[in-house]
Each structure stands twice: as C-alpha cells, then as structure tokens.
C-alpha cells in the first residue's frame, strides 16, 4: 500500500519519500548525506514517524533522550500541514493548545500544577 521514491543528488545527499498509494498522501520523508569519511550517515526524518532502532543495536551516541518524552512529527496532506504528538503522559483533557500570532507558533500547555 506504499510507494517509495528514492532521490540521489549530485552533492551526495539522498532523500527517500513514501506515499500512500490509495490517497497519494506523503507518509514519510527522510534525508541522508555522506559523512566526512565518505560513508553513508544516519537518516534524518523530516516528515513522518522516526524509525525506532533495533533492540540490541549499537548506537554511536552514549547519551540518548528518554523514550517517555513526547515525539513531535509533521504530516503533510494536500490541503494542510499537520503536527502530530505521540507519547503524551497525561490524559487529553489535561492539555490546552493556543496560537501565539506574534511569535507565529503553537503552544501546548498542561493544567498540572508542577
């Protein structure tokens, strides 16, 4: 149910996109570029859910962020740009979303007294 398109650019960058065949919507977009020694680097997810590393795989970083932190991802459709948030620790009723027009941003707050 997906179509994957892979781009190779002259400067050594790569881009991979996945589209839903039925709706034509963009599911994910990832970028990768060569490292300083000429090898392939890690994929940087621009749109869609980041792929989780395999269990037991050795990572080059010694410090990683907590798996309980919220995950923000972008989803593009033909009519809108959407931001999705996964792994929220509290019920939906605890959160409020507002728009700050002067700073051109969305703010998500909790009603918790912390």
């Amino acid at each position: 149910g997906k179509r994957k398109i892979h781009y190779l650019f002259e400067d050594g960058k790569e881009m991979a996109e996945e589209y839903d065949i039925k709706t034509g919507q963009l599911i994910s977009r990832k970028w990768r570029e060569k490292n300083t020694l000429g090898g392939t680097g890690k994929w940087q997810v621009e749109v869609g859910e980041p792929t989780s590393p395999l269990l037991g795989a050795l990572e080059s970083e010694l410090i990683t962020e907590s798996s309980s932190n919220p995950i923000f991802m972008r989803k593009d459709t033909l009519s809108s740009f959407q931001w999705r948030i996964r792994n929220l620790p509290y019920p939906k009723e605890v959160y409020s979303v507002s728009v700050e027009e002067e700073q051109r941003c969305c703010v998500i707050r909790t009603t918790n007294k912390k």
Side-chain angles (χ1 to χ4, degrees), residues 28-79:
S28 71
R29 179 181 296 137
K30 300 183 278 188
W31 290 87
R32 178 168 70 177
E33 55 187 323
K34 294 188 182 283
N35 59 20
T36 54
L37 298 176
T40 56
K42 290 186 177 184
W43 287 103
Q44 301 295 322
V45 178
E46 180 181 353
V47 175
E49 297 191 30
T51 55
S52 60
L54 297 174
L55 295 174
L58 295 176
E59 292 291 327
S60 62
E61 297 92 21
L62 297 175
I63 300 175
T64 59
E65 59 191 34
S66 173
S67 62
S68 64
N69 286 347
I71 300 169
F72 297 86
M73 65 193 81
R74 191 176 100 188
K75 181 176 180 182
D76 297 346
T77 64
L78 293 175
S79 60

Side-chain angles (χ1 to χ4, degrees), residues 11 17-18 23-24 27 33 36 41 48 51-52 68 76 78 81 91 96 99 113-114:
D11 61 355
E17 293 181 330
E18 288 183 358
T23 62
I27 297 172
E33 55 187 323
T36 54
T51 55
S52 60
S68 64
D76 297 346
L78 293 175
F81 297 109
S96 68
V99 176
K113 302 288 183 184
K114 288 189 170 187

